[in-house]
Amino acid sequence: MAKFNKKKKGDLPAISTASLPDIVFMLLFFFMVATVMRQNTLKIENNLPFADQVEKLDKKDLVMYIYAGKPSANYKQFGTEARIQLNDDFASVSEIAAFIAAERASKREELVPFLTTALKVDKDANMGLIGDIKQELRKVNALKINYTTKKGSVFGRD
């Protein structure tokens, strides 16, 4: 004869894990869409100057960034004079031509005429370095130049 067990009062039913894979994939998709990858690690101080007439660039993927400024606190072994940073490394003025050529080669042929060079220069950097950068850009025919600034009053009253 079979024995019948009585149900114990107060037992909780087991938690259903049927929807767990759906939740995991939904979270994975959310973080893939919402996460922004950092472009470059700055090794220089980059306190941008202010400007009162600022425009946003339309296509950020057609912009090549050249950074200039004094090495930050973690990179004081490179001196205190303003330096150039291309991608994630310090560079000299003579390396700008190779940088521009590599950036042009990484883009589709029809997009090359639309490439813009953005100079993100610290407000305390000397103009001699910026002049040298501009001369090197002229040599490689990179004539579309953008100066990146912060929006605000030039005189600091805003």
Side-chain angles (χ1 to χ4, degrees):
M1 207 186 271
K3 261 189 169 178
F4 293 102
N5 291 333
K6 281 190 171 181
K7 256 190 174 178
K8 294 181 185 175
K9 292 185 179 178
D11 274 354
L12 294 176
I15 297 174
S16 173
T17 58
S19 64
L20 194 58
D22 294 336
I23 294 170
V24 169
F25 283 115
M26 188 172 49
L27 284 172
L28 178 67
F29 183 73
F30 170 77
F31 285 116
M32 285 174 48
V33 171
T35 303
V36 177
M37 301 303 272
R38 185 174 9 168
Q39 296 268 337
N40 294 315
T41 302
L42 282 182
K43 296 181 178 180
I44 61 165
E45 294 177 5
N46 200 299
N47 190 7
L48 298 174
F50 288 99
D52 54 2
Q53 295 183 10
V54 178
E55 292 182 27
K56 284 196 176 224
L57 290 175
D58 292 334
K59 298 191 178 206
K60 299 237 180 186
D61 58 336
L62 297 177
V63 179
M64 304 172 284
Y65 291 100
I66 298 176
Y67 302 93
K70 294 179 183 176
S72 64
N74 297 338
Y75 300 97
K76 287 296 182 191
Q77 69 266 24
F78 294 104
T80 58
E81 289 296 316
R83 307 250 345 218
I84 299 171
Q85 181 181 338
L86 303 173
N87 290 332
D88 283 337
D89 294 320
F90 287 117
S92 64
V93 175
S94 61
E95 295 176 50
I96 292 176
F99 169 73
I100 298 295
E103 288 290 319
R104 286 178 176 165
S106 69
K107 304 294 182 201
R108 292 193 323 250
E109 180 101 18
E110 63 269 10
L111 296 178
V112 170
F114 302 108
L115 286 174
T116 302
T117 305
L119 298 177
K120 286 192 167 189
V121 181
D122 187 63
K123 68 180 181 180
D124 295 327
N126 56 354
M127 282 303 293
L129 179 64
I130 298 167
D132 293 343
I133 293 170
K134 287 173 57 178
Q135 286 294 345
E136 198 65 25
L137 290 173
R138 283 188 194 116
K139 287 179 188 175
V140 294
N141 203 25
L143 303 176
K144 288 179 72 176
I145 298 175
N146 171 31
Y147 292 96
T148 306
T149 63
K150 290 191 260 182
K151 189 171 178 128
S153 175
V154 177
F155 303 108
R157 287 184 253 150
D158 197 69

